[in-house]
Amino acid sequence: MRHVSHLTKLTWVEIKIFLREPMGAIGTVLIPVILFIVLARFFRGETRAPRFVSVDLPIFVVIFIVIGAVLSLTTIIAIYRESGILKRLKATPLSPLVILSTHVVVKLALTSVTLALMAVAGRRFYAGSPPPAPLSFFLGVILVSVSLLSMGFILASVVRTARFAQPIGSILLYSLVSISGLFFPVRDLPQGWQVVALASPITHGVDLLRGLWTGDGWASHWIAVLVLLANLAICSAISKRVFRWE
Amino acid sequence: MTSVILVSNLKKSYGSLTAVDDVSFSVEEGEIFGLIGPNGAGKTTTMECVEGVRTPDAGSIQVLGRDPGTRSIHLQNRIGVQLQEAQLQKRIKVWEAVDLWTTLFPKTVDGEKLLEELGLAEKRNTRFMNLSGGQKQRLFIALALINDPELVFLDELTTGLDPQARRTIWEMVLRIKERGKTVFLTTHLMEESERLCDRVAVIEHGRLIELGTADELIARHCPERTVFLSAADVSAEVFSGIPGVAKAEIKDGVLHLVGVGAGFVSSVIECIAEHRIRVTDFQTEMPNLEDVFLKLTGHSIRD
């Protein structure tokens, strides 16, 4: 029970702090939504909207989650470590797991807000654009988020300073996103890259969310679910071991 | 007196660098105990091992009868910690930090009252990043005191502060002691340790080289007193016969008298009276911990 009250309080404080960042609320919530509306308006006149806009909204969401997970999380943890915040927290009864979970919860909360805003915006522009099974899709988003966030924790644990966190996170992020099946099908990739793409949890996240958005059941994407769960288990175990307080 | 902290044969290395080498000491209930020494001497490492933030390589530590290495919740509830160069989230407000810390402990004091006592009441809505160095330190003291701890750790509390802020913080530390708490602090400022500490341990290159009250250390290592005397017509010979005198010489018209023993200064005054010397200026110089440190290590603590 102690941990729950710690988590609740710390999460609330962290959300407030985050919203005070000049780019916090704008960059994380407003820009994706505005981008979404602008794209939607741009393609509205077309009889057949490109697949990217009309169908692949979930993919856009995945990219957004990955950016949130890998970049901002890595940077936040690196800054916290570098400036001694983690060390200060270590000298309290606060559990390390609570600190880590807090940032996951904060990310998920902000992701949910953005998603909800997008859903509202999307309803205006496309008829029938909400998924047939919203709850199922929402659960999918949580699974994908948590799985990818656990990758972010490993990176955050290993990368020493915030200055390195950003470029290293970006390299990882953009290379994995580029082969995730978002821009072209994985089967069009060269053989070697297909292997990398299929090993990447991002690819499976794209697959699962794309399926859930269009009304598929979880069973038909069991491989993706399995990969995401395995990734979560492995990454959590590793990051717990290698996490550095200072 | 009961020992609140017991450290025996503590060792800690970072790679090939030995930071703390076979250090043993105890801190008694209700005292202010200072670990003094230059930067890099091993003060912070020692303190962080005692706090349970760092794991020692060898040796045993007991804090309030428990091993701090286990990160025991029970122990963390009874100690208050201020870490060197610690930070908080840049945009966290003062009251939010105090409120967060209040949530972390089962038994706490009134946070608002604490802020008032520490002169931070007006800053309760200020973000951490907008506080001055002294205000940040006062906030860290508040956080260290929020759980009404029996034992408070203060690591390089006033480093980087201006003299005014430093004095304010010293007052606060003395008030912590008045409330019956035990304080364990580190400092490389000799004035600070003289003003605050009941007992000091001198640490150099990871080894504890002296331990005692400031008076004990001074008496042990620097027993000399110096008297500077200006008089109309003074000769060194008059004073060369008084007990304990080691040196009597005139430099730039001022008589320098160096001697040992508690009665040395009175002997000088008696001698002045006896010879009816018309004194225009009289000054004494007592050695301080700075001199003790210089004597013990051969260099100044600032080097």
Side-chain angles (χ1 to χ4, degrees):
Chain A
M1 270 330 283
R2 180 166 60 86
H3 293 307
V4 176
S5 75
H6 290 183
L7 182 67
T8 319
K9 177 65 86 174
L10 190 59
T11 303
W12 177 230
V13 170
E14 289 289 353
I15 286 179
K16 284 197 283 186
I17 292 170
F18 185 80
L19 293 177
R20 281 175 202 150
E21 301 260 353
M23 283 307 289
I26 299 168
T28 319
V29 181
L30 282 180
I31 287 180
V33 174
I34 289 169
L35 200 63
F36 177 73
I37 294 172
V38 168
L39 279 173
R41 277 186 176 279
F42 184 70
F43 289 113
R44 192 161 54 152
E46 313 227 338
T47 45
R48 241 180 76 242
R51 186 181 151 79
F52 181 75
V53 180
S54 62
V55 184
D56 281 350
L57 173 66
I59 297 15
F60 188 79
V61 174
V62 171
I63 291 183
F64 167 50
I65 294 168
V66 172
I67 289 172
V70 183
L71 284 186
S72 95
L73 199 66
T74 308
T75 310
I76 285 177
I77 296 290
I79 290 173
Y80 275 29
R81 181 183 301 112
E82 232 179 335
S83 55
I85 298 172
L86 283 182
K87 193 175 157 186
R88 186 63 195 85
L89 294 176
K90 191 186 177 189
T92 66
L94 205 55
S95 153
L97 265 165
V98 169
I99 300 170
L100 302 186
S101 313
T102 295
H103 289 282
V104 172
V105 175
V106 170
K107 276 283 145 208
L108 287 182
L110 290 162
T111 305
S112 309
V113 171
T114 311
L115 267 179
L117 288 174
M118 279 186 175
V120 171
R123 186 173 297 199
R124 272 191 62 194
F125 296 113
Y126 322 101
S129 92
L135 184 68
S136 175
F137 179 72
F138 183 69
L139 290 176
V141 169
I142 290 186
L143 173 62
V144 173
S145 306
V146 173
S147 185
L148 299 186
L149 281 160
S150 68
M151 286 169 73
F153 272 136
I154 294 194
L155 200 67
S157 305
V158 182
V159 178
R160 217 175 251 281
T161 67
R163 207 146 46 94
F164 287 110
Q166 199 78 26
I168 290 175
S170 301
I171 290 165
L172 187 82
L173 167 79
Y174 292 121
S175 37
L176 287 185
V177 166
S178 67
I179 57 170
S180 68
L182 174 61
F183 303 107
F184 37 82
V186 173
R187 61 175 181 277
D188 290 355
L189 286 167
Q191 199 79 48
W193 285 105
Q194 278 192 37
V195 177
V196 179
L198 288 176
S200 157
I202 299 183
T203 312
H204 295 280
V206 169
D207 176 60
L208 177 66
L209 289 183
R210 187 183 266 163
L212 293 177
W213 186 261
T214 49
D216 287 357
W218 285 67
S220 53
H221 295 275
W222 66 273
I223 296 180
V225 174
L226 205 68
V227 170
L228 289 167
L229 285 175
N231 180 63
L232 172 62
I234 295 167
C235 290
S236 309
I238 295 177
S239 62
K240 214 172 150 188
R241 271 176 165 260
V242 299
F243 194 80
R244 279 206 295 250
W245 289 91
E246 50 190 296
Chain B
M1 280 260 182
T2 42
S3 293
V4 173
I5 299 173
L6 271 172
V7 176
S8 33
N9 310 104
L10 177 69
K11 274 191 183 126
K12 176 77 184 174
S13 305
Y14 302 113
S16 62
L17 178 86
T18 307
V20 178
D21 190 5
D22 203 25
V23 164
S24 306
F25 61 91
S26 66
V27 177
E28 309 302 323
E29 194 180 336
E31 73 171 339
I32 301 184
F33 183 89
L35 210 50
I36 64 175
N39 291 326
K43 303 186 298 290
T44 296
T45 302
T46 304
M47 179 173 266
E48 288 182 351
C49 286
V50 177
E51 290 163 347
V53 172
R54 221 170 268 289
T55 315
D57 296 336
S60 78
I61 304 173
Q62 288 242 306
V63 178
L64 299 165
R66 282 165 190 272
D67 174 8
T70 54
R71 266 174 65 77
S72 136
I73 296 298
H74 191 82
L75 185 56
Q76 278 168 340
N77 289 338
R78 293 171 66 193
I79 64 170
V81 171
Q82 174 263 326
L83 297 167
Q84 190 182 352
E85 283 166 6
Q87 294 286 322
L88 292 178
Q89 292 90 324
K90 271 159 67 178
R91 291 179 171 79
I92 196 167
K93 289 179 182 174
V94 168
W95 76 265
E96 287 170 342
V98 172
D99 186 41
L100 175 62
W101 253 249
T102 307
T103 316
L104 300 182
F105 298 94
K107 183 190 75 160
T108 53
V109 296
D110 182 352
E112 293 294 330
K113 226 174 106 186
L114 198 58
L115 286 181
E116 216 163 284
E117 279 175 46
L118 293 170
L120 282 173
E122 285 165 34
K123 294 283 171 190
R124 66 184 299 283
N125 284 317
T126 306
R127 296 172 182 192
F128 182 76
M129 60 196 259
N130 296 330
L131 295 176
S132 73
Q135 290 162 346
K136 280 181 186 168
Q137 286 301 47
R138 274 185 275 158
L139 175 58
F140 280 122
I141 295 179
L143 297 182
L145 297 179
I146 195 81
N147 55 332
D148 198 20
E150 295 155 52
L151 168 62
V152 186
F153 294 91
L154 305 170
D155 193 2
E156 293 281 353
L157 193 59
T158 62
T159 300
L161 300 188
D162 58 74
Q164 181 66 36
R166 194 166 278 164
R167 281 206 176 85
T168 315
I169 303 261
W170 287 346
E171 292 296 315
M172 279 161 201
V173 177
L174 290 172
R175 240 179 283 150
I176 297 173
K177 186 196 163 182
E178 277 168 25
R179 284 193 239 162
K181 321 273 182 208
T182 308
V183 179
F184 179 24
L185 61 83
T186 72
T187 182
H188 67 276
L189 301 169
M190 290 299 153
E191 195 192 346
E192 183 163 292
S193 50
E194 278 167 11
R195 290 283 289 270
L196 299 179
C197 299
D198 297 307
R199 288 193 306 141
V200 295
V202 183
I203 189 165
E204 157 99 334
H205 300 309
R207 302 194 71 103
L208 202 148
I209 52 176
E210 247 308 8
L211 196 151
T213 66
D215 288 344
E216 278 167 13
L217 298 196
I218 290 165
R220 206 174 296 162
H221 299 282
C222 302
E224 307 86 14
R225 307 278 182 278
T226 308
V227 175
F228 301 96
L229 196 65
S230 303
D233 186 26
V234 69
S235 74
E237 288 79 49
V238 179
F239 295 93
S240 55
I242 61 172
V245 71
K247 204 164 74 177
E249 59 183 13
I250 296 175
K251 274 187 211 159
D252 303 324
V254 178
L255 177 64
H256 293 227
L257 292 167
V258 181
V260 289
F264 175 68
V265 177
S266 337
S267 305
V268 172
I269 293 170
E270 278 165 24
C271 184
I272 291 169
E274 207 176 295
H275 293 87
R276 298 181 181 278
I277 298 166
R278 286 173 52 91
V279 176
T280 52
D281 194 21
F282 183 91
Q283 277 180 45
T284 59
E285 196 180 80
M286 294 274 286
N288 53 23
L289 282 178
E290 190 93 52
D291 301 304
V292 172
F293 191 83
L294 186 68
K295 189 78 168 276
L296 284 171
T297 65
H299 63 84
S300 158
I301 196 159
R302 292 190 192 84
D303 293 343

